[in-house]
Amino acid sequence: MSLRDTAEAILKGNTVMLARAITLCESQKPLDRKNAEKLLTQLLPHTGRSLRVGITGSPGVGKSTFIDVLGKHLTGMKKKIAVLAIDPSSEKTKGSILGDKTRMEELSRDELAFIRPSATGRSLGGVAEKTREAILLCEAAGFDIILIETVGVGQSETAVRNMVDFFLLLQLAGAGDELQGIKKGIMEMADAVVITKADGENEKRARLAQVEFQQALHLFQTSDSGWAPKVLTASSTERKGIAEVWKLVEEFFSVANSRGFLEKNRELQNLRWFHESVEQQFRDKILRTKKGADKIQRFEKKIKAVKIIPSVAAAEVVQSLLPRR
Amino acid sequence: MSLRDTAEAILKGNTVMLARAITLCESQKPLDRKNAEKLLTQLLPHTGRSLRVGITGSPGVGKSTFIDVLGKHLTGMKKKIAVLAIDPSSEKTKGSILGDKTRMEELSRDELAFIRPSATGRSLGGVAEKTREAILLCEAAGFDIILIETVGVGQSETAVRNMVDFFLLLQLAGAGDELQGIKKGIMEMADAVVITKADGENEKRARLAQVEFQQALHLFQTSDSGWAPKVLTASSTERKGIAEVWKLVEEFFSVANSRGFLEKNRELQNLRWFHESVEQQFRDKILRTKKGADKIQRFEKKIKAVKIIPSVAAAEVVQSLLPRR
């Protein structure tokens, strides 16, 4: 099948071709990369039209169940939704737990839904780039909403934040009187916090957590989007609060659009992607060579032993790896 | 004066030589850089012995006055203190408002204090590196405590956070019922928050702010240092709460030291400095050339016009700027 045919199939919503195209983008082989770039470039005019929503939360908070129920709510409104994932540990484990169709039972059987596990890769930057390209492909295939989920590991939330319009944090109320600690840096990224498992005996704790988080969020400056983050409670098992979450997301898009924020934000995100990609590719081409990696390792040892100033070490590395001109 | 003589003078605490050495490190001339690296390397074994404390807060919060009073408190205990600054706007304005001796009147006349304005530079990364080197020089000169102040602009707080042991956020209580919004991302970096200007009619509001911030900080996970951030109030004009702030800082160092956290943290900071420096120098040598800057600019235009995929643009930039091998 030619690239042109593949592109046309994707534009018609063919999810088999979509999946293959995503796989092509994930490939590190030079010829695959050439073709991937051609395909992406052909489809570029048809991208940008979805709502991009990121979802994060610690393991055990109930992400998969939440996405399953939220997804069904959306397809019930006849929306086509794609569920992608960034699992920074995926290069180490065989198969990520995110985007695992067995954990999103109902949604995985839904015609209007497309679920894709995380790309694997040598670095978070590499994985994040593949996800960004997958977003574009899904948009070309006509998906209205793209959910990107991640776990709270390393910098994966920051990566997701930089590729979505709206960032949702799922949080547990916690056991007893203690609120489950929120990972530093995440709360201020969130456009909304949803306290999950707000059912049965846990409902009271959930409402308490809601008040505490709302008070904390109130302390932050309003962001450029003009949007003040909200805190909701929800129960996936009882299907409560899910519609309210989505109403809130829609409210955000209404506010953000009216201020021209979304377009501006996406432009900034694209520029950031560009600069991060340039650095990533330089790093791959220069520092990830055997020679480069050895040098880096040797200097790291000297730095740990306080035998060399980091900036001096950096100068020596750059000097030796950049060809004379 | 030979480099060896300069090094010996610095080790004896000669602040005139110290100031010259910092200026030498800030110079971008290749010969100055060579000498700076030699000097830093000679002094390296004598570094690392200070307490490094970062101080940030919005303009108007009273940073200079606070540092003036805190500084006098410390010199009163016979401690030698250096006050450095990172002002990211310093390359644009003639002279930074930070580290301005006229705003730290008492301290600037104190024999035990050394105040230095921010380095200027083309980028925050460049300015931050010069400050890191200045820290090392100050330590070699025998300073017990190094305060690094910055304003809440851009990523300057993150830069300071990555070069200090303890990070202090100064915050205003705010007018009326509103708490002054805290910049996103800063609160979770802070090891302590000090509500300033807790005097006169403002004292009640300050105490209210203290409670609200303490509740918010309580929501975060404890950090690896084992330290839970605290919130205090202080009044520089009435010299109230200043001793308590320093007691808290000492408490932190006690906790952090006992867990071996400080050493580990500094090692991580040095490794981070190394990697950031490598990237910075690559960027300077490859992307800041006329050819590189033009290319970047041209591609940024195409990206804004949604005429090219950012990763594809990045590949073209890297391809054209990295020589064939």
Side-chain angles (χ1 to χ4, degrees), chain B residues 42-316:
Chain B
Q42 279 187 38
L43 292 172
L44 181 57
H46 305 275
T47 65
R49 294 192 205 119
S50 77
L51 308 183
R52 302 171 182 176
V53 178
I55 301 179
T56 190
S58 304
V61 75
K63 267 196 312 307
S64 301
T65 323
F66 180 83
I67 291 172
D68 200 27
V69 175
L70 175 65
K72 291 299 290 180
H73 174 71
L74 295 172
T75 57
M77 299 193 287
K78 296 288 168 254
K79 297 196 187 295
K80 286 180 68 175
I81 79 159
V83 183
L84 306 175
I86 290 191
D87 183 353
S89 68
S90 61
E91 65 259 34
K92 303 189 187 82
T93 59
K94 273 196 192 310
S96 160
I97 56 163
L98 299 183
D100 183 354
K101 296 179 190 183
T102 66
R103 295 167 70 96
M104 296 184 216
E105 277 202 57
E106 290 208 50
L107 201 60
S108 58
R109 291 192 302 256
D110 194 320
E111 251 185 19
L112 293 174
F114 173 79
I115 302 176
R116 173 87 181 187
S118 172
T120 57
R122 278 180 310 174
S123 66
L124 175 61
V127 171
E129 181 153 274
K130 298 310 138 200
T131 313
R132 284 174 134 139
E133 292 176 350
I135 290 174
L136 298 177
L137 292 170
C138 289
E139 291 181 334
F143 285 89
D144 305 299
I145 296 157
I146 305 187
L147 306 180
I148 300 115
E149 76 163 313
T150 189
V151 284
V153 174
Q155 295 291 308
S156 60
E157 291 103 336
T158 307
V160 170
R161 187 72 195 86
N162 289 333
M163 64 181 76
V164 300
D165 308 309
F166 188 92
F167 194 65
L168 188 62
L169 167 64
L170 302 183
Q171 186 71 17
L172 276 175
D177 290 329
E178 287 281 303
L179 278 185
Q180 191 186 56
I182 194 172
K183 186 175 159 193
K184 289 186 177 191
I186 307 310
M187 184 154 76
E188 45 95 9
M189 276 198 256
D191 293 302
V193 180
V194 177
I195 314 291
T196 57
K197 306 191 182 179
D199 39 56
E201 285 181 5
N202 202 38
E203 188 164 1
K204 193 172 169 192
R205 270 199 298 273
R207 298 223 173 275
L208 198 74
Q210 181 184 20
V211 171
E212 294 214 28
F213 278 100
Q214 191 68 66
Q215 281 173 343
L217 285 175
H218 184 66
L219 292 172
F220 293 123
Q221 294 169 359
T222 334
S223 66
D224 300 328
S225 60
W227 174 258
K230 308 276 188 306
V231 185
L232 301 174
T233 65
S235 164
S236 304
T237 48
E238 293 183 7
R239 283 164 170 57
K240 271 176 15 188
I242 306 298
E244 284 76 2
V245 170
W246 191 252
K247 265 213 190 71
L248 192 75
V249 175
E250 288 186 323
E251 205 187 305
F252 164 84
F253 278 101
S254 178
V255 169
N257 256 326
S258 69
R259 289 171 68 115
F261 168 79
L262 274 186
E263 205 178 310
K264 184 74 193 152
N265 192 44
R266 285 210 184 170
E267 184 179 284
L268 288 174
Q269 289 182 339
N270 279 336
L271 290 174
R272 184 176 194 145
W273 174 8
F274 172 55
H275 287 282
E276 284 180 6
S277 194
V278 167
E279 294 202 1
Q280 181 72 37
Q281 296 192 41
F282 270 128
R283 222 178 291 143
D284 285 344
K285 284 188 155 37
I286 301 180
L287 299 177
R288 294 242 166 88
T289 59
K290 178 108 186 44
K291 181 184 180 193
D294 279 350
K295 266 207 189 312
I296 295 279
Q297 227 184 16
R298 251 183 302 126
F299 277 114
E300 279 181 344
K301 257 180 151 166
K302 285 179 87 172
I303 288 166
K304 286 183 187 180
V306 195
K307 291 252 177 289
I308 192 170
I309 313 264
S311 45
V312 173
E316 290 188 32

Side-chain angles (χ1 to χ4, degrees), chain A residues 33 37 40-41 44 129 133 136 179-185 187-188 212-213 215-216 219-221 223 229 267 270-271 273-275 277-279 281-283 285-287 296 299-300 303-304 306-315 317-318 322-323 325, chain B residues 33 37 40 44 129 133 136 179-185 187-188 212-213 215-216 219-221 223 229 267 270-271 273-275 277-279 281-283 285-287 296 299-300 303-304 306-315 317-318 321-323 325:
Chain A
R33 191 62 210 158
E37 290 185 359
L40 284 165
T41 306
L44 181 56
E129 179 153 274
E133 291 177 349
L136 297 178
L179 276 187
Q180 191 187 58
I182 195 173
K183 185 174 159 195
K184 290 186 176 191
M187 185 155 75
E188 43 95 10
E212 293 215 28
F213 278 100
Q215 280 173 345
L219 294 171
F220 292 123
Q221 294 170 356
S223 68
E267 185 179 284
N270 279 336
L271 290 174
W273 175 7
F274 172 55
H275 287 282
S277 194
V278 167
E279 294 204 359
Q281 297 191 42
F282 270 128
R283 219 176 293 143
K285 285 190 154 40
I286 300 179
L287 299 175
I296 295 278
F299 278 113
E300 281 182 343
I303 288 166
K304 285 185 188 179
V306 196
K307 293 251 176 288
I308 190 170
I309 313 263
S311 45
V312 174
V317 166
V318 173
L322 264 192
R325 288 190 252 193
Chain B
R33 191 61 211 160
E37 290 185 358
L40 284 165
L44 181 57
E129 181 153 274
E133 292 176 350
L136 298 177
L179 278 185
Q180 191 186 56
I182 194 172
K183 186 175 159 193
K184 289 186 177 191
M187 184 154 76
E188 45 95 9
E212 294 214 28
F213 278 100
Q215 281 173 343
L219 292 172
F220 293 123
Q221 294 169 359
S223 66
E267 184 179 284
N270 279 336
L271 290 174
W273 174 8
F274 172 55
H275 287 282
S277 194
V278 167
E279 294 202 1
Q281 296 192 41
F282 270 128
R283 222 178 291 143
K285 284 188 155 37
I286 301 180
L287 299 177
I296 295 279
F299 277 114
E300 279 181 344
I303 288 166
K304 286 183 187 180
V306 195
K307 291 252 177 289
I308 192 170
I309 313 264
S311 45
V312 173
V317 165
V318 172
L321 292 179
L322 264 191
R325 284 193 250 201

Side-chain angles (χ1 to χ4, degrees), chain A residues 12-245:
Chain A
K12 290 200 178 92
N14 184 321
T15 53
V16 170
M17 286 297 120
L18 171 61
R20 279 195 208 164
I22 295 176
T23 301
L24 181 69
C25 286
E26 291 175 357
S27 165
Q28 308 220 23
K29 297 180 198 157
L31 180 60
D32 285 346
R33 191 62 210 158
K34 267 189 134 87
N35 286 330
E37 290 185 359
K38 283 188 187 145
L39 183 60
L40 284 165
T41 306
Q42 277 186 39
L43 292 172
L44 181 56
H46 304 276
T47 64
R49 293 192 206 120
S50 77
L51 308 184
R52 303 171 183 176
V53 178
I55 300 179
T56 190
S58 303
V61 76
K63 265 193 317 303
S64 302
T65 323
F66 179 83
I67 291 174
D68 200 26
V69 175
L70 175 64
K72 290 300 289 178
H73 174 70
L74 296 173
T75 56
M77 298 194 286
K78 296 287 166 259
K79 299 200 187 291
K80 285 180 67 174
I81 80 162
V83 183
L84 307 175
I86 290 190
D87 183 354
S89 68
S90 60
E91 66 259 34
K92 302 189 187 81
T93 60
K94 273 198 192 307
S96 159
I97 57 161
L98 298 184
D100 183 355
K101 295 179 190 185
T102 65
R103 295 166 68 95
M104 294 184 218
E105 277 202 55
E106 291 207 49
L107 201 60
S108 58
R109 292 192 301 255
D110 194 320
E111 254 185 18
L112 294 175
F114 173 78
I115 302 175
R116 173 86 181 191
S118 173
T120 57
R122 280 180 306 177
S123 66
L124 175 62
V127 171
E129 179 153 274
K130 298 310 138 201
T131 313
R132 284 174 134 138
E133 291 177 349
I135 290 173
L136 297 178
L137 292 170
C138 289
E139 290 180 337
F143 284 89
D144 305 298
I145 295 158
I146 305 186
L147 305 180
I148 300 117
E149 74 165 313
T150 190
V151 286
V153 173
Q155 296 292 308
S156 60
E157 291 104 335
T158 307
V160 171
R161 186 74 198 86
N162 290 333
M163 66 179 77
V164 299
D165 307 309
F166 188 90
F167 194 64
L168 187 62
L169 166 65
L170 303 184
Q171 185 72 16
L172 277 175
D177 290 327
E178 287 283 303
L179 276 187
Q180 191 187 58
I182 195 173
K183 185 174 159 195
K184 290 186 176 191
I186 307 310
M187 185 155 75
E188 43 95 10
M189 276 200 257
D191 293 301
V193 179
V194 177
I195 314 292
T196 57
K197 306 193 183 180
D199 39 57
E201 286 181 5
N202 202 38
E203 188 162 2
K204 193 172 169 193
R205 271 197 298 273
R207 298 225 172 274
L208 197 73
Q210 181 184 21
V211 170
E212 293 215 28
F213 278 100
Q214 191 67 67
Q215 280 173 345
L217 285 175
H218 184 66
L219 294 171
F220 292 123
Q221 294 170 356
T222 334
S223 68
D224 300 326
S225 60
W227 174 256
K230 307 277 188 302
V231 185
L232 300 174
T233 65
S235 164
S236 303
T237 48
E238 293 184 10
R239 282 161 170 60
K240 275 183 2 196
I242 306 298
E244 284 77 1
V245 170

